[in-house]
Every structure is written in structure tokens, then in C-alpha cells.
Amino acid sequence: MNYADPVEAARDAGKRTHHFHGGLKLKHNKHISCLVPVKRPPLPEFLVVPLLQHAGDVAEPFVKAGDHVLKGQQIGLCEPCAAIHAPTSGTVEAIENRLMTHSSGMTGPCVVIRPDGKDQWVELKPITDVLNTSSDSLINQLQECGIAGLGGAVFPTHTKTLDGRERQIHTLILNGSECEPYISCDEMLMREQPEKIVLGARILRRALGAEQVVIAIEDQMGAVQEALTYAAECAECTSILVVKVTKIYPEGGERQLIKVLTGLEVPAGGRPSDLGLVCQNVATAAAVADAVLEGKPLIERYITVTGNGILHPRNFLALIGTPFSHLVEACGGYTEDVARLVVGGPMMGYPVSSDSTPVVKASNCILALTQKDITTPQAEMPCIRCGECSRACPASLLPQQLHLQIRNSMWDEAQEYGLLACIECGCCDFVCPSHIPLVQWFRYGKGQLRQRAIETQATDIARERFEAREARLLRKKQERAEKMARRKQMLKDKVAHKTTANKPDGKEADA
Amino acid sequence: MRNFEIGGAPHMSQQITVARVMLQVLLALVPGILAYTWFFGPGILIQILLATGFALLFESLMLRFRGQPLKPFINDYSAVLTAVLFALCIPPLAPWWISCIAMLFAIVFAKHLYGGLGQNVFNPAMVGYIVVLISFPQAMTAWLPPLALAEYGMGLFDSLVVIFTGHLPASLSWDTITQATPLDTLKTGVESGRMVSEIRQSPLFGEFGGKGWEWIANWFALGGLYLLYKRVISWQVPLAVIGSVVLLSLPFWMADPDGNPFPMQHVFSGALVLAAFFIATDPVSGCVSNRGRLIFGAGVGIITLVIRRWGGYPDGVAFAVLLMNMAAPLIDRYTRPRMYGE
């Protein structure tokens, strides 16, 4: 892509909307969970707070079994990740390995807290005078409060903000286009707390040193645009633009949204900051407002519990660590034909093997699907190269070719055809008339490519080491040879010397 | 607490199947087949049934030999589609064994020996057609004149007898009922130095192409538009095939209208429309990218014209498709679409 200056062009973000290649118009099914206001579920018997919730390493726990903790107390931290806090006051029952919110069914270290029912807060340290607070203190506050991207990637917000500030981004994009079907937690948040999102946006803009904020929402979200615009007007904030984008899955994907808002593409292998942009989820902005203005750490989040397998779907403001089963119970339980439990949406969500797993910062939706929902109309058939997949691919790839290349272990070709640019959105898989599990093939293929890269690196290092050793041995050999030669020379000299010393004048012997 | 089975994302899918894609194509062929029957009698229906029967027979045999499950592959209608497309290319009174031999090559050699559904390099229907066209030229050129000329009153029963025994009703002989196709007449006519306008005086010709043929082509085009509307096929291939034929024949016609037919006559003659919408659009043996499909279609159009004008056969669509099938992987290699952010 050649633009005179893409960073300058990106300043027009949101002034007019553009299209991205591919994508799908999906039946959104969001209304089923939007009919009742969001509420907090009753306190569960136990809260299970995983120590690994962000991109990065497992947090080091500060507490031990038997300790009493207060709501909002920091219980774990791992530099440079975000901190982890106690979601309510109570006693630490244990720190042990529990089932994680992960499809592999792996376990990980969790702090198990038995709530005392008092919900007693730790002393909070809000920043009251934001305008006179430095960007550094704001960013530090975000780390202290454990703020991370709530859109699903849970990248620590302070790291992203620091990076954005360093790279002098000009526009903060708040992503409110919740494009996956069924999920409605961001929409409910924008409906119920637009002013908090606007506050968070202003704080983030200040911390980033950005000039403007663009909030992207979907065109089917009704009065959300008015609510946000009104909130921005009330705050007398003119640098916030609320933009409606046409609902096409997966426009909520960072790269697709940037294309829609700016008409520009993030360079392959690059990041949005290459265009002077940074994207945050709207829920993250609300969490930022809570963290800075009230000092409240990230201990609860909006979460949708929905699907045909749930009796009364709805949205909750749930504490981190609440077991899924507890939320499902608060929705009236499962229907009889429930068959699969998914965290996230039906397109990219991952299945879990048990509903005992807890809500984490990343969980935006618990989706219970019935057998009817997940049954494909036929078993897998061979690819007939119909091209539906490439028509649907938002990364403009050729999934049918990639599939063949992966099946035949043609790794160089797969890399050349952009396997690593696949965002695993599932569009190709969804439209495939042969019902080939393309996304699973691509995940496998990407794993193989990464493995290959590691191996190539390892062999490179080994080769370098080998060559260095060879060179060293050669050098030593040469040195030894030189030494020998020198010594020989010396001996020769000595002999010659002796013969001359035996001569009567003996002048040189003195020298 | 409750446990669940896990499975990969996405957790939902479209209700479309391979069988439905094939059925939609078959459905789109119906108007053209009806028009064909109207102009050339019920022989075509018998040919379709014959070819379908042989195709399914060879398909099941090959699936059995290859240890593949029968049901999903027999029910995918791909063999039926091959058979129907083939039957639409042969003379309606061709002997029954023509279908048998063609389907043997189409299904066994062109399809299953390459790995079955989705793996064939060449369009199976065209392979079958070319094999019998080259091997049995006499049987494959015994075309009937269309409706207005055919006053022999050959019904379904007569057609059956002809196809299975080769015996015509007593009052008729092959010499009287078969005629050269419009394209054939045109080719031999031009080669013997007659003017196109003069040749077109023959009752074999209609407004654009051959009498009857042009209407069949219209109905096939209608079916093709349905497939475009349903997005079963992409617009690139038909546009490129027809567009390249029109664009390339235009200068020849303008330079010498007596020695060259006008562009629309090329389009509405022979199997061009059928090929543009139904044969060259076969995704398995075609190109994958949009640019690739344009090149592929243009190649089919150009080669067809070249064969019609300078080659030994009156129509060259089948050869053009097979030649472009060979080129498809190479075209694909050079027409990979630009990826996001590239």
C-alpha cells in the first residue's frame, strides 16, 4: 500500500467509513440477552482467581492460605504484567492448581477465596485531580489496578499505553463494535454507563498524549450512539467522535476496524501504532475510569450468559473468579438439550470442558449451545475449490490453497500465501460447503511454522557456534604454529648466538 | 457442576453442502434442457439418463475400489452433473455406448484416478466428450436439424430405438435426417470461399447463431444468471469467456464481414454459452483468484475462437477448457491476491 503519509491519512479516522474485504453478515442473536438490565449475581460460595490472566507470566502471589483479604487488595503481581486483586473480602482457602478457563482443560495456580459476605473494601487510592497528574502516574495507576484489555486479548493496558505514548500515536480508537453473534456485554455497558466510557477515553487520551478519540459502535445498537455523544457533550469534550459502522463480522477485529475507519491497512507484521493509532475496548476504558477516578482495581466485568442452552439469557456484572456454574444458575440453569459450553462468541470462542472454571478478565461471554446449533449438515467432504472461503476471508487470503499446503506440509508455500496473517475469525470455516475444519488446520499450520522458525533459529545458533569453534580452533592452531615457529627461530638464534658468543669479541652477548 | 464435550471453533456453520451447490447448478440447467428438448426432441433426455446411469455406476465402482464410503459421494450429485453436462454436448441420437465410453473416461480416468472429488485436474465431462469426439467422429457429428426443419415426427420411442439399436424408422435414413451444424456449415462454407452473408441464408441459421441453438443458449444464459445471483459461480469466468470472444472477433468482422461471422454469432453458436456459465466455471479444475478467473475465462474464449477459425474442428470449446485446465495451476501461482497489509 502506498500512501503519501499513512500516519497523516490516519488522522481522518472515522470521518467516513470504508469497507474491508470479505466478512459475513451473521444473524446476531444479541437481543435474547439484552432484554433485562444488568445485575450483580449473588456472591458465590467460593471465588477462584487464577494467577495467570494476562499475556505474560504467572503472577507471584502475596497471600497464603488462611490469610484474610479485603476487597480490592492486591494478591499477586508479575512485572511487567498487570496486578491481580481479591474480588471481595474473605479468607484465602488455598492456593492450588485448578481447572483454567482454557479449552485444553489444563490447570493452573489459583487463589481460592471464601467470601465473608461483608464486601469490605481495602483503602482505595483514587487520583482526583487527573488534569494535574502526569501521564506516568496515570499509567502506573493502571498497572496497580490490574487493568488489561477486556476485548479478549487481555494485553496489560499500561504496557500498551506506554508503547503508544512512545510511538507518538495521535488517535485512540475505542472498539465498541462487538461483532460476534450473541455477545452483548459491551452494548449493555455502553447503554448503561456511557459517561464512564467517555471519562475513561479522556483519561487514556491524556495518558497516551493522543489528540482525538474515535468510538466505533455498530449500526444496530440503537440509541447507544446518542447516549455516548450526549455523554461526550456533557463532558464538554469535542475531541471524541462516535461513529456507527455497518455490522459485518469480523469488523470488531482490530485490523478490520482500522480499515473501516481509516481506509488504511496495518502493514503485515506491523502494529496499529505504525499508523499512529491505538485500539482499546470500550469496557477497558470504563475500567480505566474506575481505576483512576475511584482507585478501584479490575475485579469485576460485564459478561453475557446466553445461547439456546440457557433458560433466561442475560448480562451480569460478575466478580472475577465467579464459577461459570454460579452464573448459569443465576440465569435459571441450562435447557435440556445443551451440548457445548463456549467462552466468547460462536465464531472465535473456545470450548471449555467444565462449567466449574471461573470468570477471568478475558471472559466476555458464556455461550451455551445446543446440539442443533453445533451440528453441521454433513460430514467433512473434500474441497471443491468453490472459493467461498476466499470470498469471505477478511485478510484476503486463499484458504483453499492454504488448506492444501498445510495438508501436504508445504510450509514454505503456506508462509508465502500468508498463513501467519490469518486472524482465525472462522469466516472460511463457516461458509465452507464441504465443512472442512479450516481454522483448526490453520492453527495447526501456524504452530508448525512457529516450530520451524524456532528450529531454524536453533540450527542457526548451532551453526554459528560450530563455525566460531572451528575458527577458534583454527586460530589456536595457527597461534601454536606461530609460537612453534617463533620458538624454533629463537632456538636457532640461540644456537647462532652461542656460536657468535664463542667468538672472541662477545659484544652481542652483552646486548 | 457439569462437564461438556469440546469441539473446535467456529461453533456454527452455514447449512450449505456440496450436494446443494451441485443441485443448484443442475437446477440452473433445467431451462436450457427443456429448450433443447423442444428443438431437438426427447433424445437428449434419454442421453441424460443414460449418461447419469453410467456415471453413477462407474462412480460407485471406483469408490468401492478406492475404499471410500459410497453414500456421501454418490449423494453429492457431482457425477450426475458431469453426466448431464456431457449429455448436453453430444448429438441427441448418438448410440448408447458413446455415453458408456465417455463416462468411463470421465469418471474413472479424469476423476477418480486423480483422487476423486475435488482432485481432478481436468474437467471430467470435457475429457469424456473429447475422448468420444476424437475416437468416434462419425457418431459424434450426426446432428439433427432443429425443430422447424425436423418434420420426421420422431417420438420418444423412436429415439429410444435409434439410440439402442441404431435402426431408424423405416421411412428415414441417416443421410436424410442428419445435417451439419451451423458452425460446421459456416466453416466449410467460408473455407470454400463463400461469403458469410450468403451462408447465413441457409435455413440452419437464426437471428444470431444457429436456429434453435441460439434459443437454447439463451435459456442456458438464464440459468447462468440464476447461478450468478445465487453466487454459486463468480461473474469473472462467464464475462471473460464471452467478452474475449466478442472483443477478439470484432476486429476480424469489421475488417472483413464477408469472411468472418459477426461477434454475436460466435457467442450464440455451439456450446459457448453453456461453457461460459457451466463448464469453464467448474471450480475444481479452474482458477481460484478473481484475476486468475478472468485470465482463465479469457483463455477459454480465445482458444475457442482460434480453433473455430483456424483449427480442424468447427467448435473448440471443449479443447479450450481442457487446455486452460492445464494452465490453471500456473495462473494461480501468478495471480495470488494482495493480502491485507501487504
Side-chain angles (χ1 to χ4, degrees):
Chain A
M1 305 243 41
N2 282 321
Y3 296 101
D5 184 4
V7 179
E8 282 311 304
R11 279 177 201 272
D12 285 339
K15 297 234 167 75
R16 110 191 156 75
T17 54
H18 306 257
H19 289 285
F20 63 92
H21 180 268
L24 300 173
K25 282 201 158 85
L26 298 173
K27 232 179 113 187
H28 59 72
N29 293 326
K30 289 180 191 286
H31 56 282
I32 58 174
S33 55
C34 290
L35 298 175
V36 286
V38 178
K39 71 166 188 186
R40 287 194 167 88
L43 268 178
E45 199 182 339
F46 288 103
L47 287 166
V48 183
V49 185
L51 286 164
L52 178 61
Q53 292 196 41
H54 315 110
D57 287 330
V58 178
E60 199 59 48
F62 300 154
V63 289
K64 55 185 189 301
D67 283 1
H68 186 261
V69 291
L70 292 174
K71 186 179 176 115
Q73 182 183 330
Q74 223 176 70
I75 54 174
L77 181 67
C78 108
E79 293 283 352
C81 292
I84 287 169
H85 302 78
T88 186
S89 58
T91 325
V92 175
E93 282 285 313
I95 296 175
E96 59 186 19
N97 280 346
R98 289 280 184 108
L99 207 57
M100 301 278 277
T101 316
H102 195 276
S103 51
S104 68
M106 69 174 185
T107 58
C110 297
V111 178
V112 184
I113 296 170
R114 180 197 284 277
D116 57 13
K118 291 182 198 149
D119 237 10
Q120 196 180 358
W121 278 97
V122 75
E123 193 194 336
L124 299 176
K125 294 178 200 135
I127 296 177
T128 44
D129 189 9
V130 177
L131 287 178
N132 290 318
T133 309
S134 71
S135 164
D136 281 328
S137 325
L138 290 175
I139 291 173
N140 189 43
Q141 178 83 351
L142 300 185
Q143 181 172 15
E144 287 293 310
C145 289
I147 310 298
L150 295 178
V154 269
F155 195 74
T157 307
H158 68 272
T159 321
K160 205 167 172 179
T161 311
L162 262 178
D163 180 65
R165 197 181 64 183
E166 241 161 61
R167 306 199 56 176
Q168 297 185 326
I169 64 111
H170 52 67
T171 305
L172 164 68
I173 294 174
L174 283 194
N175 189 347
S177 70
E178 198 170 38
C179 59
E180 276 242 35
Y182 289 102
I183 309 178
S184 62
C185 61
D186 287 348
E187 183 178 351
M188 291 307 274
L189 172 76
M190 288 190 282
R191 277 198 213 175
E192 297 190 349
Q193 308 197 26
E195 62 293 326
K196 200 181 266 181
I197 293 170
V198 168
L199 283 172
R202 294 170 67 199
I203 295 167
L204 275 174
R205 180 171 65 95
R206 209 185 131 66
L208 281 161
E211 293 155 27
Q212 51 177 0
V213 182
V214 178
I215 306 181
I217 60 164
E218 277 175 358
D219 53 2
Q220 45 85 24
M221 284 181 175
V224 165
Q225 185 180 27
E226 284 72 29
L228 285 168
T229 314
Y230 181 69
E233 276 169 15
C234 288
E236 290 179 358
C237 187
T238 52
S239 58
I240 295 185
L241 181 66
V242 184
V243 182
K244 267 188 183 173
V245 294
T246 320
K247 184 191 155 57
I248 296 172
Y249 177 81
E251 106 210 304
E254 194 171 70
R255 280 156 198 262
Q256 280 62 44
L257 187 63
I258 287 174
K259 173 90 191 198
V260 168
L261 292 176
T262 65
L264 304 173
E265 292 178 359
V266 180
R271 283 180 295 161
S273 50
D274 294 340
L275 295 173
L277 306 168
V278 75
C279 285
Q280 288 286 7
N281 187 271
V282 282
T284 316
V288 166
D290 272 342
V292 172
L293 300 174
E294 299 182 47
K296 280 185 187 167
L298 181 53
I299 52 166
E300 56 184 1
R301 66 158 297 148
Y302 275 66
I303 181 167
T304 311
V305 183
T306 186
N308 296 328
I310 297 282
L311 270 183
H312 304 295
R314 64 175 305 148
N315 277 278
F316 287 111
L317 183 51
L319 294 176
I320 304 296
T322 312
F324 289 171
S325 54
H326 185 73
L327 295 179
V328 172
E329 236 167 73
C331 287
Y334 299 107
T335 57
E336 265 174 27
D337 50 352
V338 63
R340 189 178 291 174
L341 197 66
V342 173
V343 182
M347 295 299 284
M348 291 185 76
Y350 53 89
V352 284
S353 55
S354 158
D355 62 4
S356 68
T357 54
V359 173
V360 289
K361 291 177 187 177
S363 344
N364 50 3
C365 179
I366 301 170
L367 177 64
L369 295 166
T370 62
Q371 197 58 49
K372 199 170 149 247
D373 291 328
I374 58 174
T375 308
T376 54
Q378 68 173 22
E380 186 184 336
M381 293 280 284
C383 170
I384 55 166
R385 308 216 312 160
C386 65
E388 280 301 309
C389 49
S390 43
R391 188 140 59 181
C393 179
S396 305
L397 303 176
L398 294 172
Q400 72 275 55
Q401 303 289 84
L402 287 171
H403 164 239
L404 272 186
Q405 288 156 350
I406 296 169
R407 279 208 147 161
N408 295 309
S409 303
M410 296 155 69
W411 302 117
D412 291 330
E413 284 85 351
Q415 185 139 24
E416 191 196 322
Y417 274 67
L419 178 56
L420 294 174
C422 167
I423 57 169
E424 298 176 22
C425 64
C427 287
C428 51
D429 215 319
F430 181 84
V431 297
C432 180
S434 293
H435 297 276
I436 301 168
L438 290 165
V439 174
Q440 292 187 57
W441 279 108
F442 297 158
R443 284 196 183 141
Y444 160 73
K446 280 173 162 183
Q448 291 291 315
L449 282 188
R450 274 193 287 269
Q451 192 59 37
R452 257 167 55 104
I454 293 169
E455 276 163 19
T456 324
Q457 209 181 3
T459 46
D460 280 351
I461 292 173
R463 197 186 53 237
E464 268 168 37
R465 219 179 260 162
F466 175 75
E467 282 168 0
R469 180 169 178 270
E470 289 288 284
R472 194 183 67 231
L473 291 181
L474 192 70
R475 202 177 57 234
K476 276 203 171 150
K477 208 171 161 189
Q478 278 171 347
E479 276 172 7
R480 210 176 299 145
E482 270 171 35
K483 222 177 186 177
M484 291 278 276
R486 262 206 311 275
R487 205 174 266 172
K488 254 186 197 162
Q489 190 61 43
M490 245 155 67
L491 277 173
K492 250 187 207 162
D493 284 354
K494 242 182 205 167
V495 175
H497 197 76
K498 268 183 189 159
T499 44
T500 45
N502 289 343
K503 283 181 182 168
D505 56 30
K507 231 180 197 173
E508 271 174 71
D510 296 337
Chain B
M1 193 181 127
R2 190 162 171 161
N3 290 322
F4 294 90
E5 295 274 313
I6 63 169
H11 307 280
M12 54 185 206
S13 66
Q14 226 166 24
Q15 292 304 304
I16 193 145
T17 59
V18 173
R20 237 182 85 182
V21 173
M22 301 287 174
L23 264 182
Q24 270 176 326
V25 180
L26 284 170
L27 187 67
L29 281 167
V30 168
I33 294 173
L34 289 180
Y36 201 125
T37 316
W38 173 261
F39 285 108
F40 292 97
I44 177 65
L45 300 178
I46 302 168
Q47 298 293 359
I48 288 178
L49 287 177
L50 261 178
T52 306
F54 284 123
L56 289 176
L57 175 73
F58 290 126
E59 178 93 355
S60 357
L61 284 176
M62 283 313 284
L63 286 170
R64 177 69 51 86
F65 285 144
R66 293 178 56 220
Q68 300 273 329
L70 275 182
K71 204 175 151 213
F73 288 102
I74 288 291
N75 288 345
D76 69 12
Y77 298 106
S78 63
V80 178
L81 184 57
T82 300
V84 173
L85 287 174
F86 163 76
L88 286 173
C89 298
I90 61 170
L93 292 183
W96 63 271
W97 45 265
I98 287 280
S99 289
C100 179
I101 292 169
M103 287 301 107
L104 175 77
F105 276 91
I107 302 292
V108 177
F109 289 88
K111 186 174 180 187
H112 281 285
L113 290 189
Y114 276 94
L117 178 70
Q119 303 292 320
N120 47 295
V121 177
F122 296 103
N123 186 314
M126 291 301 101
V127 170
Y129 171 70
I130 293 292
V131 166
V132 288
L133 178 69
I134 295 177
S135 315
F136 312 103
Q138 202 185 357
M140 289 296 286
T141 45
W143 286 92
L144 304 181
L147 179 72
L149 308 170
E151 284 151 2
Y152 317 116
M154 292 246 293
L156 184 65
F157 179 73
D158 292 332
S159 308
L160 268 174
V161 172
V162 174
I163 290 170
F164 282 98
T165 66
H167 295 309
L168 287 167
S171 58
L172 304 170
S173 74
W174 281 107
D175 287 345
T176 51
I177 66 160
T178 60
Q179 281 200 2
T181 60
L183 271 176
D184 216 5
T185 314
L186 188 77
K187 194 175 182 79
T188 46
V190 170
E191 275 164 6
S192 63
R194 293 164 67 203
M195 291 193 294
V196 171
S197 52
E198 193 187 330
I199 302 166
R200 282 182 55 82
Q201 297 300 315
S202 154
L204 276 175
F205 291 91
E207 298 292 322
F208 292 117
K211 189 169 247 156
W213 288 107
E214 54 191 15
W215 278 103
I216 296 171
N218 275 337
W219 289 105
F220 279 137
L222 190 76
L225 291 179
Y226 165 77
L227 290 184
L228 280 177
Y229 169 71
K230 283 281 175 188
R231 307 221 313 181
V232 173
I233 59 172
S234 54
W235 56 266
Q236 283 88 355
V237 174
L239 182 85
V241 172
I242 294 172
S244 63
V245 164
V246 170
L247 282 182
L248 201 72
S249 56
L250 194 65
F252 284 100
W253 173 65
M254 280 170 45
D256 178 15
D258 285 331
N260 296 289
F262 65 112
M264 292 318 279
Q265 180 168 356
H266 268 303
V267 174
F268 284 98
S269 297
L272 196 83
V273 172
L274 179 69
F277 286 101
F278 294 92
I279 296 172
T281 49
D282 169 34
V284 176
S285 53
C287 287
V288 289
S289 70
N290 290 339
R291 266 192 307 152
R293 284 170 174 161
L294 281 173
I295 297 172
F296 183 90
V300 170
I302 292 167
I303 298 174
T304 303
L305 267 193
V306 167
I307 295 177
R308 279 185 184 179
R309 183 115 189 3
W310 292 288
Y313 285 89
D315 200 357
V317 177
F319 292 105
V321 168
L322 291 186
L323 285 171
M324 287 314 287
N325 285 164
M326 273 188 236
L330 191 71
I331 299 172
D332 274 343
R333 207 170 165 76
Y334 289 102
T335 54
R336 181 173 67 73
R338 189 187 65 80
M339 294 183 282
Y340 179 104
E342 196 179 32

